[in-house]
């Protein structure tokens, strides 16, 4: 009797715990969040390539008219989906020529991307040179941007489509 009650309670708990999980016809598992967003389980960031891709990076050294030195950075995204994208979250790793990570940043882009179009990178991240402080992000990236050595790896962590659909990628 106790075992039957335990089994029934366990089955009820499992059904309640997984009540917001859906399996699609192509085998993907999606967790539906109470706030209207959802998360695709077991999907690597590379799977976002069917919706959006990182086509290049704005990565340049700049000296303005007042001799302020900066490095400008922003991934250039291409929307491959049939929907307009209104925002993206991403993680970027800057690697030296040996493949070792120099800097990692978590960023976002709120530039709207129409279906089948690219971002313009009119807005970008700026790493400023402070000549009085060594080892800042500007200093870490200067050799890479100046010499064109190393590499940049950007992965998309979330996509917001026009209409409010949010996809969080792992």
């Amino acid at each position: 009797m106790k075992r039957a009650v335990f089994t029934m309670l366990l089955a009820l708990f499992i059904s309640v715990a997984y009540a917001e999980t859906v399996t699609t016809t192509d085998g993907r598992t999606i967790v539906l969040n109470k706030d209207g967003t959802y998360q695709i389980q077991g999907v690597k960031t590379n799977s976002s390539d069917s919706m959006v891709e990182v086509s290049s990076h704005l990565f340049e050294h700049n000296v303005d008219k007042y001799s302020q030195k900066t490095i400008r950075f922003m991934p250039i995204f291409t929307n491959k989906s049939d929907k307009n994208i209104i925002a993206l979250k991403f993680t970027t790793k800057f690697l030296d020529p040996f493949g070792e990570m120099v800097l990692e940043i978590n960023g976002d882009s709120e530039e709207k991307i129409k279906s089948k179009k690219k971002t313009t990178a009119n807005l970008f991240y700026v790493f400023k040179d402070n000549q009085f402080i060594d080892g800042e992000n500007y200093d870490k990236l200067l050799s890479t941007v100046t010499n064109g050595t190393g590499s940049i790896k950007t992965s998309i962590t979330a996509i917001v489509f026009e209409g409010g659909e949010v996809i969080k990628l792992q």
Side-chain angles (χ1 to χ4, degrees):
M1 178 73 177
K2 288 182 182 180
R3 185 178 181 139
V5 171
F6 175 76
T7 304
M8 230 165 67
L9 287 173
L10 182 61
L12 179 62
F13 173 77
I14 290 172
S15 66
V16 170
Y18 293 103
E20 296 182 287
T21 301
V22 178
T23 303
T24 62
T25 56
D26 62 359
R28 294 180 294 155
T29 302
I30 301 174
V31 177
L32 305 174
N33 301 317
K34 291 179 183 178
D35 64 0
T37 63
Y38 61 89
Q39 188 170 7
I40 302 173
Q41 296 291 312
V43 175
K44 296 180 180 167
T45 305
N46 292 341
S47 68
S48 68
D49 287 346
S50 63
M51 296 175 272
V52 62
E53 72 179 4
V54 179
S55 48
S56 62
H57 294 94
L58 167 71
F59 189 52
E60 63 187 20
H61 188 258
N62 185 57
V63 179
D64 68 16
K65 65 182 178 181
Y66 300 108
S67 299
Q68 174 65 51
K69 298 175 186 176
T70 60
I71 295 173
R72 298 174 177 180
F73 170 75
M74 181 57 85
I76 307 296
F77 300 103
T78 301
N79 181 353
K80 295 171 67 177
S81 75
D82 294 329
K83 302 175 189 176
N84 293 335
I85 294 173
I86 61 170
L88 295 166
K89 283 189 177 278
F90 60 88
T91 298
T92 296
K93 295 179 181 180
F94 297 90
L95 307 173
D96 68 12
F98 302 102
E100 296 175 8
M101 189 167 53
V102 175
L103 178 67
E104 179 178 16
I105 66 167
N106 294 312
D108 61 61
S109 170
E110 294 185 21
E111 181 179 348
K112 292 182 180 179
I113 318 169
K114 293 188 184 246
S115 177
K116 312 300 184 208
K117 299 291 182 186
K118 287 184 179 185
T119 57
T120 60
N122 288 331
L123 296 176
F124 42 81
Y125 288 89
V126 176
F127 303 100
K128 293 181 181 180
D129 178 27
N130 184 334
Q131 61 186 354
F132 304 108
I133 301 174
D134 289 334
E136 292 190 310
N137 292 339
Y138 174 89
D139 301 317
K140 293 176 184 177
L141 297 174
L142 184 59
S143 175
T144 303
V145 71
T146 303
N147 298 327
T149 57
S151 60
I152 303 171
K153 305 288 184 193
T154 298
S155 56
I156 300 161
T157 56
I159 304 169
V160 181
F161 289 100
E162 198 169 62
E165 179 184 9
V166 178
I167 298 175
K168 294 181 182 177
L169 302 162
Q170 296 178 351

